[in-house]
Amino acid sequence: MRIRLLAVTSILLVLALSGGIDSAAAETHDSVPAKNGVIDRLIHYFASSNKHTVTTRPHFTFIGGPHYSKESGFGIGLVLGGNYSTVPSDTLLPLSNISIVGDIATKNLFMIGARGEHIFPENSRRINYRFGLRSMSSYFWGSGYDMGVHDSNKTKYRDLTINLSAAYEWRVLNGLYIGPMAEFYYVGASKPASVEVWEGQPLHHITAGAGIKLSFDTRDNHTGPHSGWLLEFNQMFYPKFFGNGSYPFYISRIAANYYHPLWRNATIATRIHADFSYGDSPWNMLPTLGSGSMRSYYEGRYRDKNAVDLTIELRQKVWRRSGVVLWGGIGNVFPKLSALKMNQFLPEFGIGYRWEFKRDANIRIDLGFGRRSSGFVFGLNESF
């Protein structure tokens, strides 16, 4: 889950308290009651956060604290991450997971969200779900590469977004899944500094869609893969009779992720992704860069009828529960294939820190750099 503004100070506190705790220390805390001091309790809490018995009930780990940014002011962010298994005795069954986040700040920022994946016994079925409610100051540059590349088009507005999506898949062959999916969006842009970049489009949209999801998944786990493939094809339909008004459209999403172990505690991860939209896509549903792998660009700055990106990332665990990542990538947005220009591909590279707060689940801090752009991201699990 990607979170733009959260508890950076609390992360530093977590690392200071738990970074030097090794397995022996953790075992000592597991066998000896924690002391009454706040520091001792925090050390014990984070030392044991990734050492627990898997059950059918989610085991949650909580992290939270204050943050500050120019756009949001002072705030408090909270993160709750948990995992569980529908058959704890089956060690080959990937763990189910759930993440809950919340954030509130002095400059009218409010956000709450949840996402997760529920995996049924024998990996025969699975449900992916996501919910989010966000109210915050945001920016819009318009649609198309030529609009996004010029800083003069940057327009501030008040963003209210509500989204809900879910997919239910059945396994039809070993590693192959298929099933229906649905999603709902409400997006409202209010108090814009200027309406020119919207080019006459309505500032408020209700969007509902349904479609089909096809995936081939051989990953060893779903929150921090070390080996395997994830191939996905999603076809979404947003017809008028779903309540989409005068904006019926369709979106095809294709993604191919590959994970391969290198030397000890190292993984190379590769992602190729493309979104293609057809029909009268509203501005808020156009494919964008800046989500998932393209972390160096403001999400939504570059948007158009189509978007493609490629990312290669090296993940290395370096000391106890700490790790680092290095990545590089390129991406582009374009109205149609014939208009795709090589000189408009946007490059990026970045470095990140990982702290394993649960088994195969990381807190991540990423700093990325692109063409006249940079991005700082705090989130749970890997970006892809």
Side-chain angles (χ1 to χ4, degrees), residues 136-372:
M136 61 180 290
S137 294
S138 189
Y139 299 96
F140 184 60
W141 280 257
S143 301
Y145 174 88
D146 291 334
M147 295 293 290
V149 76
H150 295 293
D151 288 331
S152 59
N153 293 323
K154 183 179 180 180
T155 302
K156 188 176 182 179
Y157 71 98
R158 187 74 192 166
D159 171 51
L160 174 62
T161 298
I162 302 171
N163 70 281
L164 176 65
S165 63
Y168 194 112
E169 297 177 273
W170 286 267
R171 188 181 66 196
V172 293
L173 292 172
N174 188 28
L176 185 64
Y177 297 82
I178 190 170
M181 57 187 304
E183 61 184 20
F184 168 85
Y185 276 91
Y186 168 79
V187 174
S190 59
K191 300 180 180 180
S194 171
V195 297
E196 293 181 0
V197 292
W198 274 272
E199 299 178 318
Q201 290 198 61
L203 301 184
H204 302 262
H205 279 288
I206 293 179
T207 305
I212 188 168
K213 181 175 184 178
L214 177 66
S215 60
F216 177 73
D217 190 354
T218 62
R219 294 172 295 171
D220 58 338
N221 72 83
H222 294 190
T223 51
H226 305 290
S227 64
W229 285 90
L230 175 61
L231 309 178
E232 292 184 311
F233 172 74
N234 300 343
Q235 180 60 58
M236 292 296 299
F237 303 90
Y238 306 86
K240 285 185 178 181
F241 61 85
F242 275 16
N244 295 308
S246 58
Y247 291 90
F249 63 102
Y250 318 94
I251 295 179
S252 300
R253 300 185 176 107
I254 304 171
N257 298 2
Y258 177 60
Y259 309 91
H260 183 74
L262 297 177
W263 48 84
R264 183 180 179 183
N265 294 326
T267 301
I268 189 76
T270 304
R271 180 180 190 255
I272 302 174
H273 164 260
D275 283 355
F276 303 100
S277 67
Y278 318 91
D280 298 320
S281 306
W283 62 272
N284 61 290
M285 295 298 292
L286 288 172
T288 67
L289 297 183
S291 176
S293 52
M294 298 294 289
R295 285 154 278 175
S296 304
Y297 296 92
Y298 190 92
E299 187 172 358
R301 174 171 183 169
Y302 292 96
R303 66 180 74 208
D304 209 327
K305 300 282 287 185
N306 310 286
V308 296
D309 61 73
L310 164 66
T311 301
I312 300 175
E313 183 168 287
L314 174 63
R315 302 168 181 173
Q316 175 71 62
K317 193 170 184 178
V318 293
W319 187 61
R320 294 172 182 169
R321 295 164 71 174
S322 293
V324 296
V325 303
L326 298 171
W327 83 86
I330 56 173
N332 201 351
V333 297
F334 50 96
K336 53 185 179 180
L337 282 174
S338 60
L340 185 61
K341 298 179 181 180
M342 295 302 297
N343 63 352
Q344 291 184 351
F345 269 89
L346 298 163
E348 73 159 357
F349 67 93
I351 186 171
Y353 172 78
R354 300 293 184 268
W355 184 72
E356 186 183 47
F357 79 108
K358 303 184 80 66
R359 188 177 71 184
D360 291 322
N362 292 324
I363 292 172
R364 61 185 177 93
I365 304 173
D366 289 332
L367 179 62
F369 302 92
R371 183 180 296 170
R372 297 187 298 275

Side-chain angles (χ1 to χ4, degrees), residues 96-109:
S96 301
N97 62 86
I98 180 172
S99 301
I100 302 171
V101 301
D103 198 9
I104 188 169
T106 55
K107 293 186 178 180
N108 299 317
L109 166 67

